[in-house]
Structures are given as structure tokens and as C-alpha cells.
Amino acid sequence: SSEVLEAIENVIQGVLQSLAQKKAPVLTVANRTDWRNIEYKDSVGLQMIPGCTTKQIRSDCPQSARRFALMLKILSMIYKMVQSNTYATKRDIYYSDTLLFGSQSVVDQIINDISCMLKIPRRSLHVLSTTKGFVAGNLSYTEEDGTKVNCTCSATVFTVPSNVQGIKNLTSHAKFILIVEKDATFQRLLDDDFFNKVSPCIMITGRGIPDLNTRLLVRKLWDSFRIPIFTLMDADPHGVEIMCVYKYGSVSMSFEAHHLTVPSVKWLGLLPSDLERLNICKDALIPFTKQDENKLASIQKRPYIACQPLWKKELEIMAASKLKAEIQVLTSVSSDYLSRVYLPNKLQFGGWL
């Protein structure tokens, strides 16, 4: 915490020095969304290059003065929280003054900018994000406040903890971890008692694009158990994008890649080649939209796809057919095909990439 307080004090000192010299104070932030500032490293995923381009948030410029003020406001809130050892969610910060902040996304962006500017992970700033992910299966752990969580006993779903760094005493006999893209598929596998039938496993869903806590938990489980991690996604560009976030990270959070990515993640399904192999009826597939085409084209150009010839091939099959499929398409074969046949066969015979 002393490191965080010192980092904030240095920023404020810079502002005061500028004012003392009768200059307009400026905050310098890395350009987080520019691909030119990102490099791909096999062992980490997408990470920010050391000498990346920056942008200035000036206090004397009409376009950025408001943002400058909001950054100082949130810095002061973080400073007080670290001093008093209290925590707040991003939502709490937004609701502390909705008129001032205007929208939740403004708060989210500023907190990420501050984390990047100070080079301090967000959880060390005492800012928690609201969790939307779920976990179930062969896992038990103790939360920071001493609450014991046992996912193993039942088909109950547990919310991913809001302070993943604080959980301890993780124990599991799982043979693998399965990341499921969607909540509906996750619930279906729970109903079918999948995590007990095949072999003990841990199931996680970020319910779409994963939030920070879900990504942190996947990383923590990998660090703790070093067991295979598989992903079960829709066979569409959006599903591939989500899988890449778990495996390689995202551009906007590349400054925190070391804590968030798990490069060993494997693509288990639904593969575009599976649709042909299983003779899925064309009528059950969905035609691409223009947005799908653009998303797929942008994924195919990314640096990490060049290192994955088998993934590249699957994306080419998808691009050629211009058709996509949700995991639910497997129910057209039989209602429990996913849990009874598809996943057990894939896991037994190594049908992943």
C-alpha cells in the first residue's frame, strides 16, 4: 500500500510543480488501445511494449480538461481507500457521483488508465470489479474473509470471488478445467452432472466476454494446479475472440498481461471442422453478418494466429463457409449429445487444438 500511496503522491506532486511554475498540469497515459504499442510474446500473450506511445490529458484543453479533473477525483478516492484499507467496486465509485461521472464506462476507462499510468494492478488500487462469472465442479477454497467455499458437494453454481487474489487453501482433484462461453451451456452441463460423469473437473463461465475476476481466477487455477485448460465456445468469430482473451489477453488490458493470460489454453470446441465431421444440417447453421466477416478478418491478421497453424485452418474453414453455429446446434443430433458423446470423445481422443 505504501507503494500505491507513493505513486499517487508523485502524480500530485507533478501537478503542483506545474502550477508553481504557472504551467498547465498534464497527465501522461499510455495509448492502451493502439496495436502498435502491443507485442505478442509466446509465454505471456499480448503485452505492452516498453517504449509505447502516450497521450497527454491536459488541464488547459477543452477536450481533455474534464477527463483530467475526473482522473484527479478518482485518484483521491483511491488514495483514501488505500489509506483506510477499504475497498469499493467500480460501480460504487460511479454511484458516489453519477452526475459528475456521467456513465459507468467513463469510470471503467479512467480506472484502467490510472492502473496503467501508475503501473500498479487494479486490485492493488483497492478497486474491485463486479463479478459476473460462475464456477462449479471439483474445487474448494477459503475466501479472504474466512468463508469456506466448497463447489464439489453439489450442482450449485458459485459466483467467482470479487477478490481473487485473497482466496487461499485451494484444493481440487480435477483432471482438467473447462471454460464455457455461455451461461446456458454451463447450466446444461451442470444439469447433466457433467463434471462428475467423465472425470472430476472444474467448470468456469465468464458468461460471454470474461470480466477481470473470471480471468484472474482461471490464471490462479492454472498457477495452483497446472492441469489442462480447455475452452468450449460457439463456432463463430465472437466465440474465437472470447477464447483469445483467456489465452492471449486483450489489447486494452495488455499492461496487466502477466497476471491475466494463460497461454496453455486449448480450443476443444465447437470447431468449424466439427460441423462438417458431424454432418450438422446446413439449415441449423447461421449465415455470417458483415460484422462477423470483419471480426473474423481482424482475428486472422493478429500476430498470435500465425503461430497457430491448426487454428488458422479452422478460421479458414469458417471464412470459406461464411456460416456460424452456436454450441446448442449439437442438440440437433440428440438432446444430451454435448455431455454424453461430444465432450467425452473429444477429451478421450485428444480432439483439441
Side-chain angles (χ1 to χ4, degrees):
S1 61
S2 59
E3 192 188 321
V4 180
L5 296 175
E6 193 183 332
I8 295 172
E9 285 161 9
N10 288 341
V11 170
I12 302 306
Q13 206 170 359
V15 169
L16 293 174
Q17 276 170 350
S18 298
L19 290 170
Q21 293 162 4
K22 297 200 165 34
K23 290 180 187 163
V26 168
L27 296 173
T28 305
V29 182
N31 241 332
R32 287 189 297 113
T33 52
D34 191 338
W35 271 94
R36 288 169 300 184
N37 284 336
I38 311 296
E39 63 179 356
Y40 167 63
K41 202 172 173 196
D42 220 17
S43 59
V44 182
L46 299 176
Q47 61 174 12
M48 220 164 215
I49 57 172
C52 66
T53 60
T54 55
K55 56 183 178 187
Q56 290 195 326
I57 298 167
R58 303 188 60 85
S59 58
D60 61 346
C61 168
Q63 281 87 2
S64 62
R66 176 177 157 74
R67 195 168 187 87
F68 180 90
L70 293 180
M71 281 188 81
L72 288 193
K73 165 77 175 167
I74 292 178
L75 275 168
S76 77
M77 293 172 85
I78 290 168
Y79 193 83
K80 280 178 196 153
M81 288 192 297
V82 175
Q83 268 188 323
S84 59
N85 196 26
T86 54
Y87 287 81
T89 63
K90 294 186 297 182
R91 209 165 170 69
D92 295 334
I93 291 172
Y94 168 59
Y95 279 110
S96 70
D97 200 331
T98 52
L99 281 176
L100 176 70
F101 294 120
S103 77
Q104 181 70 60
S105 63
V106 167
V107 172
D108 297 355
Q109 284 167 13
I110 287 176
I111 288 165
N112 284 342
D113 275 343
I114 287 172
S115 175
C116 186
M117 176 177 75
L118 300 179
K119 294 185 171 55
I120 289 169
R122 193 168 74 192
R123 57 203 164 278
S124 301
L125 302 176
H126 286 228
V127 178
L128 306 171
S129 53
T130 317
T131 298
K132 66 183 178 101
F134 290 146
V135 60
N138 195 294
L139 175 69
S140 59
Y141 56 86
T142 308
E143 291 202 355
E144 197 181 25
D145 62 1
T147 309
K148 287 185 168 56
V149 176
N150 188 354
C151 312
T152 310
C153 298
S154 61
T156 314
V157 169
F158 290 86
T159 306
V160 168
S162 57
N163 190 358
V164 174
Q165 293 311 103
I167 67 173
K168 49 190 184 293
N169 306 332
L170 285 90
T171 53
S172 175
H173 302 294
K175 297 286 183 277
F176 62 92
I177 295 163
L178 182 66
I179 300 171
V180 182
E181 178 186 348
K182 281 182 179 156
D183 193 20
T185 310
F186 183 81
Q187 297 291 347
R188 179 66 208 244
L189 291 172
L190 271 183
D191 293 344
D192 291 349
D193 198 24
F194 172 75
F195 62 83
N196 285 323
K197 275 182 187 163
V198 180
S199 64
C201 73
I202 299 167
M203 294 200 315
I204 291 182
T205 179
R207 298 164 74 197
I209 295 168
D211 59 282
L212 191 70
N213 293 328
T214 305
R215 291 176 63 191
L216 281 168
L217 182 61
V218 171
R219 176 60 195 248
K220 185 149 191 139
L221 292 172
W222 164 246
D223 287 338
S224 303
F225 304 124
R226 296 281 159 163
I227 52 177
I229 301 182
F230 301 112
T231 57
L232 179 62
M233 306 280 151
D234 288 340
D236 66 10
H238 190 64
V240 175
E241 172 85 285
I242 289 170
M243 175 170 57
C244 291
V245 169
Y246 285 106
K247 186 175 174 75
Y248 299 115
S250 59
V251 174
S252 62
M253 292 297 286
S254 57
F255 64 94
E256 267 210 66
H258 289 270
H259 311 286
L260 292 172
T261 58
V262 185
S264 62
V265 161
K266 302 278 185 280
W267 187 3
L268 186 68
L270 186 64
L271 302 177
S273 59
D274 289 340
L275 303 173
E276 288 176 21
R277 189 174 56 80
L278 298 171
N279 279 327
I280 300 290
C281 170
K282 282 271 198 294
D283 296 344
L285 305 179
I286 307 158
F288 262 24
T289 61
K290 188 76 192 131
Q291 204 178 358
D292 290 325
E293 284 182 41
N294 295 341
K295 167 76 77 186
L296 183 57
S298 92
I299 292 171
Q300 286 177 302
K301 289 191 193 103
R302 290 184 194 169
Y304 45 70
I305 296 298
C307 312
Q308 290 279 8
L310 296 174
W311 282 34
K312 203 174 166 190
K313 213 167 167 182
E314 293 294 331
L315 299 184
E316 282 163 5
I317 293 171
M318 201 189 287
S321 73
K322 291 193 177 173
L323 293 169
K324 58 184 181 178
E326 296 186 336
I327 298 160
Q328 283 82 346
V329 79
L330 295 176
T331 55
S332 66
V333 183
S334 74
S335 63
D336 59 351
Y337 188 78
L338 174 67
S339 59
R340 188 175 52 83
V341 181
Y342 182 81
L343 289 175
N345 283 352
K346 283 242 162 188
L347 292 161
Q348 190 180 345
F349 301 114
W352 58 80
L353 306 178

